[in-house]
Amino acid sequence: VCLYTIILVTLHRSIQSRRGPMSFLLLYIDISCMIDKQLISDAVARSIVETDIFVVDIRVSAANDIVVEIDSPSPLDLDTCADISRKIEDTLDRDAEDFSLEVGTAGLTAPFKVRGQWLKNIGNDIELITRDGKKMHGRLLEVTDDDTITVGVDVKERPEGKKRPVIVNRPVSMKIADVKTACYMISFK
């Protein structure tokens, strides 16, 4: 999709001088061609077919800076990212539109954006903030087909007849839609 902007400004000023009135004409033409995000999305989908790689995010700026974030349950290496980058670049015409392309993995502590990241982190410790502002730390135990997650959270409970509370791990279930942010929690134990 190309956006053509033409601004024509005429400034007419009469200046009392020997040369008489002066006219100024300014013509500004901005031809901004933005690469279609769907074109990039289709190219990525074709390049990761029959793999366990999934798309986390695709961003295309007005200046045609393209950023593709991918992830996988198995480790991704630089060669995989470079291969996907080449396949995307093959679908674009650099002579028609200049662009920059960056293909990389979502960072280790990047917030979860897609279901695949939740599935990848089953069994790992995560930190999440619910939409109502409650912060939780725990182990991601399950992700169901209806996008319900179960997190094992440590809570303090006072057993009946005891003076001191003990820490008990309790499963807490909620919908992914009720989570504002979530990310993998790095542990140095």
Side-chain angles (χ1 to χ4, degrees):
V1 174
C2 291
L3 173 68
Y4 297 96
T5 306
I6 301 175
I7 300 173
L8 179 64
V9 178
T10 305
L11 178 62
H12 180 78
R13 295 169 74 189
S14 295
I15 300 176
Q16 300 296 330
S17 69
R18 290 185 282 178
R19 298 186 185 153
M22 296 180 70
S23 295
F24 296 94
L25 176 67
L26 172 65
L27 178 63
Y28 173 75
I29 301 175
D30 178 22
I31 302 173
S32 301
C33 295
M34 190 168 150
I35 294 174
D36 184 28
K37 185 176 177 178
Q38 187 60 47
L39 176 71
I40 303 302
S41 181
D42 293 344
V44 173
R46 282 191 304 275
S47 63
I48 63 174
V49 71
E50 297 181 16
T51 68
D52 61 353
I53 298 171
F54 55 90
V55 176
V56 174
D57 194 16
I58 297 175
R59 295 183 305 275
V60 180
S61 75
N64 286 337
D65 296 325
I66 305 165
V67 178
V68 177
E69 286 183 34
I70 56 174
D71 207 344
S72 170
S74 55
L76 289 172
D77 59 6
L78 188 60
D79 292 336
T80 303
C81 292
D83 184 49
I84 292 170
S85 179
R86 278 190 294 275
K87 289 177 181 177
I88 295 169
E89 205 164 333
D90 288 345
T91 64
L92 302 173
D93 183 8
R94 196 170 284 279
D95 292 333
E97 300 175 84
D98 193 29
F99 61 90
S100 69
L101 175 61
E102 177 184 332
V103 176
T105 61
L108 186 61
T109 59
F112 298 171
K113 296 179 183 178
V114 296
R115 179 180 166 77
Q117 289 174 296
W118 288 96
L119 294 170
K120 173 185 176 176
N121 283 287
I122 292 175
N124 292 332
D125 290 335
I126 64 168
E127 177 179 85
L128 62 89
I129 299 173
T130 62
R131 295 235 178 255
D132 59 1
K134 187 187 285 187
K135 189 174 189 177
M136 292 185 200
H137 301 272
R139 183 155 303 202
L140 181 60
L141 302 173
E142 180 183 31
V143 179
T144 63
D145 290 337
D146 68 344
D147 287 341
T148 299
I149 60 167
T150 303
V151 180
V153 179
D154 290 337
V155 294
K156 287 184 181 180
E157 289 183 358
R158 187 179 316 194
E160 194 173 316
K162 301 285 183 177
K163 290 184 178 183
R164 295 183 184 243
V166 294
I167 296 177
V168 180
N169 191 279
R170 297 276 184 226
V172 176
S173 295
M174 68 187 75
K175 294 284 191 183
I176 291 176
D178 295 332
V179 176
K180 184 176 180 181
T181 62
C183 61
Y184 173 74
M185 218 169 91
I186 298 175
S187 177
F188 296 104
K189 292 179 185 179

